[in-house]
Amino acid sequence: MVTLNSRLGVCFVAISSFILGTALIALSMFAVHSFYRLADQTVSHTKQFALAQAEGYLARETRTWAALCSDMLRQAENNVQNTAGQAAYCLDNVDLLGKREASPGGRWERYASNGVWTNGNASLTSMVYWGTSELTPKAVRMLNALSWAQQAVAFARSSIPPAKASWLIMKSGASLYYPNIHHVERMPAADAFDFRDDICFTFAAPENNPEGRTLWTDVYQDSLGLGLMITVTAPCVSASGEFLGSAGLDIRVEDLVRDLLGVKDGEGKGFRFLIDNKGCVLAFPLELLPRFGISVKDYSSLAPGALLQYNLLDSTIPEIVQAVKRALSGPASGQARVQLEEGGVLLGYQRVASTGWLLGEVRKESDILKSVELTGKTRTEAINRFVATFFALSMACLGISVGFVSFFFSRRVLTPVQSALDAVEAISKGEAPRRLEESVNDEIGDLARGLNDMVERLEAREASLREAEARYRSMVENAMEGIFRISSDGRFLRANPAMARMMGYASVDELKSSVNDLSLLLDIDKDSRGRFFRSLMSEGAVEGMEIQGRRPDGESFWIAVSCRLVVDENDNRRSIEGFAQDISERKARQGAERELKAAEAASLSKSLFLANMSHEIRTPMNIVLGATDMLQKSALTSDQRGYVHLLRESGEALLALISDVLDLSKIEAGKIDLQEEDFDLPGLIQQLMDIFSVQAGHKGLRMHSRVSPELPAALRGDSNRLRQVLSNLLGNAVKFTSQGDIFFEASLANPTGEDGDVFEVLFMVRDTGPGVPPEKQAAIFEAFTQADGAVSSQFGGAGLGLAIAHSLVEIMGGGIWCESQAGRGSAFWVALPFKAAMEAPGGAEGAEFSPVDLPPASVLMVEDNDLNRMLFEYYLEDTGCSLVLAENGKEGVEAFRNGNFDIVFMDVSMPVMDGLAATRAIREIERERGAEPAPIVALTAHAMAGDEQRCVEAGCTRYLIKPVRRKDVLRLIAESVGTAEASPA
């Protein structure tokens, strides 16, 4: 019996060993296959992810570079338009500007090598004339006038980094070219070459550009041998509409590729390019064109002015042609994958906003996937090492297992093991677990005790799971956020009550039965809905995406959704689960904040616009009014003096309108500050009567005034604002009264002094004009409003005077009203409070100084405008003053460092160094020398709140708003050298 059992044990051990070895080998092969399959899937997914990341990178890159390109191209167009306008202005004013020598310096000389006239060949800007063999006086005036545009030509090129040159080519035979890098030497002979035949000139001519637009040329060979160029050109048209010539900006293609597109020589990983809206190449690394199916010709042999004419639609690669067609006709941005002979490439494109061109970027897929391939190779080598180690360990385990089985089966284990297996099978089937006997004190007994312990832990874990499930269900049911799970076709599989309420349903069951397609709830913002599903499908999850929906009752709402896509082991989309938060209140609050910021930005933009308009209008007005001052002092005929008077009156009217608009802007922005000072009220009224009595006399009107003797001689308040209010009322009375009388009265409303040291003064202006109907009396105090359109057309005006007066009176704490009937005249009343004066007001001011009363003084004038400098010379030409002129702040600082000046007139807005920076530099020089500060008068065309304070903080002692009058200049010079007693002129 023992022998039989031994033989059976040996057979059992052999069979068990064979089965165990076979199982280990099969397990090893399955593990190896699984590892290799997992590695292949990982590499495949990583490649897809890398390509998707590269597409996003290309989208961001092309969008950024397209924005930079758009800004540069738009700036180039603006510069060329400004150059053309400057040239037209100079030629329209040739009689004024042509009298002075040309700005580049030097005299006109005949250039022997090619027979053209040139001025300043050694300077940075060259002027060339090839119109005739002789330079007539008329031609010299024309060239001198045109030379005033050289600053605009230089700025047009200097502000565009990749630009090669900027120029003006006139129909009259003159050109202005910047920079002059051997420009004249490079030109062919005058009898064999004419710039007016060049593509840059003819492209903007009326026969090719009837609409007078600013145009970009195709790529062409430069006439002066500078290589391939692309040019933006604009016509130069006189004020009468005559075509005078062309202005342009040349950009060399290789510089455009390098500087704008950032493509360096030898860069092979990727590059950017630029094509127009027809597919023509504008900027492209030409050596790379053959890779894209374009046959490259020897463009160096192109004739001057000939077009290069490469077009990607002519490519021999169909995929390139299809991608370009889609880009030209499709959306403003996108990507495409194209297969070339050397491999696949990823192509991204973005439309340039300013011109409609396409900016593209190319990346090799091999470069994108290089790191992925390297990672896959490393992973495969690691798997191979693991497989070898695994097989070695398997064989070792097999030998150990044979000995263990031989030892184990020598004992009686089959029955206890079978009992244990039965118990495990019962547990796996979900049946009530059975406990094993623990009588045997060996491994079988340990196994029984272990199984019994496992049964106890399973029972405890099942109870814990039931408790956790109850807690989870309670948490989901009572959560404030909406929790959901929906199927791939949009049906709700699970949701909590908060989700149902958020969607507008009374219960979860109603939500499940009513909604068969989630996308129907997201029907307000279709772009957000599309972005939601695209992100979910491509990324597998969505984090905090804000989506707008609509409830069944039509009410819209906003939710923030975070969810993920649940897939099975076969990568099939099964469902979507996540949570949502109602953010409707937050979106409403954000909308209100955006509207507030938009309103603040609009107010700021308006203030900036008015400040710039003040600068742009007051600068030429300074020249106009200054010139009329000088003309009035010259010998004129009676007709000429009348014309000058009309010119000055029109200039003063325009300046008053500018001041009214600025005052209205300050009032609306709450930037009006009242000044408290003692003033002579009867004297102020007498000044107004003197001014408006003359205006009334010119129209044949009678002016009457009455000032109550009870009025104090001196009051304290803002006399300038009071003068502005009364001037508006008196000016309107004179303007709108054709015949009859104008009455002005001023009286004390509280003659007994019941308010202590506060006096309420009542002013009245009455006329015999057309009157104001009762229904329109309230509207006349609104901005840009007049009582009658017919009256407006007859008398003119912007309708700002009464609005400004009304606002100023309210700010001063008073009241204004109108009493009138149509056809019977009008009476305007103003009641204003004033304090008692602290001391008697000073004497009259505003005396004009005669040039003969000025002692010799050294004056420094820093001004970038040529005509303003010329006007200043005229102001001081018959005085004993010495004048030094500087064109910008840097030159002014150097002039002050090298000289000794009694007074400095400093323009605030200048190139190179502005006036405020120059003032600070001058004050620093004075501190270094230990010298007394010289008077510095700020000259500015800005008149907004805070401008004067900025000038004072920079170190200026006085502040003058353009236009600057001659009498103000002479008075300030007199005060600076201690001649306050100078007699009036």
Side-chain angles (χ1 to χ4, degrees), residues 157-177:
R157 185 260 184 187
S158 302
S159 60
I160 306 299
K164 186 64 179 177
S166 55
W167 46 263
L168 281 169
I169 301 175
M170 297 291 105
K171 186 175 66 174
S172 58
S175 74
L176 195 62
Y177 189 92

Side-chain angles (χ1 to χ4, degrees), residues 318-355:
E319 291 181 271
I320 293 290
V321 176
Q322 293 174 3
V324 173
K325 285 183 177 179
R326 285 196 304 270
L328 293 175
S329 60
S333 62
Q335 295 88 30
R337 293 183 182 177
V338 179
Q339 189 67 30
L340 304 179
E341 292 182 359
E342 60 192 26
V345 298
L346 193 61
L347 187 150
Y349 60 88
Q350 176 73 39
R351 194 169 302 279
V352 179
S354 60
T355 59

Side-chain angles (χ1 to χ4, degrees), residues 340-375:
L340 304 179
E341 292 182 359
E342 60 192 26
V345 298
L346 193 61
L347 187 150
Y349 60 88
Q350 176 73 39
R351 194 169 302 279
V352 179
S354 60
T355 59
W357 298 345
L358 285 179
L359 184 141
E361 182 166 353
V362 175
R363 292 284 175 178
K364 292 182 180 180
E365 286 188 0
S366 58
D367 293 331
I368 298 172
L369 301 177
K370 183 179 297 183
S371 60
V372 178
E373 297 290 348
L374 180 62
T375 302

Side-chain angles (χ1 to χ4, degrees), residues 427 433 435 449-465:
I427 294 173
R435 285 174 170 77
R449 284 187 290 274
L451 284 175
N452 291 336
D453 292 340
M454 182 181 67
V455 169
E456 292 178 0
R457 287 194 298 271
L458 285 175
E459 290 175 346
R461 184 172 298 176
E462 184 177 357
S464 177
L465 286 175

Side-chain angles (χ1 to χ4, degrees), residues 427-442:
I427 294 173
S428 65
K429 292 180 179 180
E431 298 175 358
R434 293 173 295 175
R435 285 174 170 77
L436 302 179
E437 294 183 1
E438 303 177 4
S439 58
V440 180
N441 191 19
D442 55 10

Side-chain angles (χ1 to χ4, degrees), residues 854-855 857-859 901-905 934-937 958 969-980:
L854 286 178
S858 178
V859 181
F901 298 98
D902 297 314
I903 188 169
V904 179
F905 290 89
I936 300 180
V937 181
R958 298 295 292 270
V969 173
L970 298 182
R971 180 183 298 108
L972 289 175
I973 293 176
E975 293 175 357
S976 69
V977 295
T979 59

Side-chain angles (χ1 to χ4, degrees), residues 153-344:
V153 175
F155 176 78
R157 185 260 184 187
S158 302
S159 60
I160 306 299
K164 186 64 179 177
S166 55
W167 46 263
L168 281 169
I169 301 175
M170 297 291 105
K171 186 175 66 174
S172 58
S175 74
L176 195 62
Y177 189 92
Y178 177 90
N180 176 24
I181 307 302
H182 308 295
H183 170 61
V184 179
E185 292 90 330
R186 196 180 288 114
M187 288 182 56
D191 56 353
F193 176 79
D194 194 328
F195 266 130
R196 291 168 292 189
D197 297 330
D198 194 87
I199 181 175
C200 302
F201 182 90
T202 59
F203 213 68
E207 57 269 24
N208 298 320
N209 185 20
E211 298 177 356
R213 296 183 295 120
T214 300
L215 303 173
W216 288 87
T217 68
D218 296 326
V219 179
Y220 66 95
Q221 184 68 275
D222 182 68
S223 301
L224 299 182
L226 297 179
L228 296 179
M229 292 284 185
I230 181 173
T231 295
V232 56
T233 178
C236 176
V237 182
S238 69
S240 61
E242 179 187 1
F243 174 73
L244 301 177
S246 303
L249 187 70
D250 296 337
I251 301 177
R252 192 158 56 183
V253 171
E254 64 183 46
D255 296 337
L256 189 62
V257 171
R258 181 186 67 248
D259 297 341
L260 180 61
L261 302 181
V263 180
K264 301 178 182 177
D265 295 337
E267 187 177 24
K269 293 185 178 181
F271 63 93
R272 302 179 190 91
F273 63 89
L274 194 65
I275 61 175
D276 66 12
N277 50 21
K278 296 180 181 178
C280 291
V281 171
L282 299 175
F284 203 106
L286 298 182
E287 67 275 8
L288 302 179
L289 275 173
R291 292 167 48 186
F292 290 79
I294 302 295
S295 177
V296 177
K297 49 195 172 186
D298 184 12
Y299 57 86
S300 61
S301 62
L302 285 175
L307 299 180
L308 184 64
Q309 292 183 325
Y310 285 145
N311 195 310
L312 290 182
L313 294 177
D314 297 332
S315 172
T316 58
I317 302 176
E319 291 181 271
I320 293 290
V321 176
Q322 293 174 3
V324 173
K325 285 183 177 179
R326 285 196 304 270
L328 293 175
S329 60
S333 62
Q335 295 88 30
R337 293 183 182 177
V338 179
Q339 189 67 30
L340 304 179
E341 292 182 359
E342 60 192 26

